[in-house]
Amino acid sequence: MEWNKKTTAYFPESQRRKLEEIEKYLSKQEYFSNENLNKSRIILLLVDNFYELFVENNSRTKYPNRLDQLKKIKPKDNEKLLRDISQIRQMQDIQALITLANYQNLVQQNDYDPRKKLRSFNYGDSKEINVLMNRILQILKEDVVQAKQIKDTNQKKKKLR
């Protein structure tokens, strides 16, 4: 297909209505308040958006699969993802501080050598590491249960108001 600088496109009535709805939607957006949104500009925006969402970063994904992926994304998903990322960063900070504190304590104990006391973490046959990891996993499970209880209690309070 060869494209000229000026190309005529045929829009059936249903597609024309959709284009008009897109035009109304965009004209209400503050982002475009200083722009003249004619049909050509809207078509260019549609092409740019399609390119960015389907071609640029996902060129190997088939169109129907990528469309399904995009349809599944909800605003709540993005908010939850941002909260999760924030929590992960906070946990990494805490973990770094704990690691530094542990290192400092180990350095002060001249006779302690973790390589002699604890066998390989990856090998998994160290009783001390297994006990420690199981305790950490248990604490995490208890925390999830407690958080759920707090959430349920708060929801019940909101309903009673």
Side-chain angles (χ1 to χ4, degrees), residues 62-122:
K62 293 183 179 182
Y63 173 78
N65 297 340
R66 179 64 179 148
L67 186 59
D68 285 342
Q69 288 174 347
L70 293 170
K71 285 180 179 180
K72 289 178 185 175
I73 297 172
K74 304 291 182 220
K76 289 181 182 177
D77 296 338
N78 291 336
E79 293 167 11
K80 183 183 181 312
L81 185 60
L82 290 173
R83 281 194 311 270
D84 290 348
I85 290 171
S86 176
Q87 288 176 342
I88 289 170
R89 286 184 181 148
Q90 184 179 19
M91 296 292 286
Q92 286 176 327
D93 292 344
I94 292 169
Q95 189 173 14
L97 292 172
I98 290 171
T99 302
L100 289 172
N102 285 338
Y103 176 75
Q104 185 178 10
N105 286 334
L106 290 174
V107 167
Q108 291 174 354
Q109 297 176 10
N110 294 334
D111 64 334
Y112 183 80
D113 184 356
R115 292 172 296 196
K116 293 178 183 173
K117 295 281 186 181
L118 301 174
R119 295 200 45 187
S120 172
F121 172 78
N122 293 321

Side-chain angles (χ1 to χ4, degrees), residues 125-138:
D125 71 341
S126 170
K127 181 180 176 185
E128 293 87 356
I129 289 179
N130 289 338
V131 168
L132 178 62
M133 292 303 293
N134 286 335
R135 180 64 184 130
I136 290 170
L137 292 173
Q138 181 184 354

Side-chain angles (χ1 to χ4, degrees), residues 76 80 83-84 87 142-161:
K76 289 181 182 177
K80 183 183 181 312
R83 281 194 311 270
D84 290 348
Q87 288 176 342
E142 291 170 359
D143 184 58
V144 169
V145 169
Q146 183 181 11
K148 186 177 182 337
Q149 289 172 344
I150 291 170
K151 182 180 176 184
D152 292 343
T153 303
N154 288 339
Q155 287 178 347
K156 287 178 185 176
K157 286 180 183 178
K158 287 180 183 178
K159 287 180 182 179
L160 294 174
R161 290 182 192 167

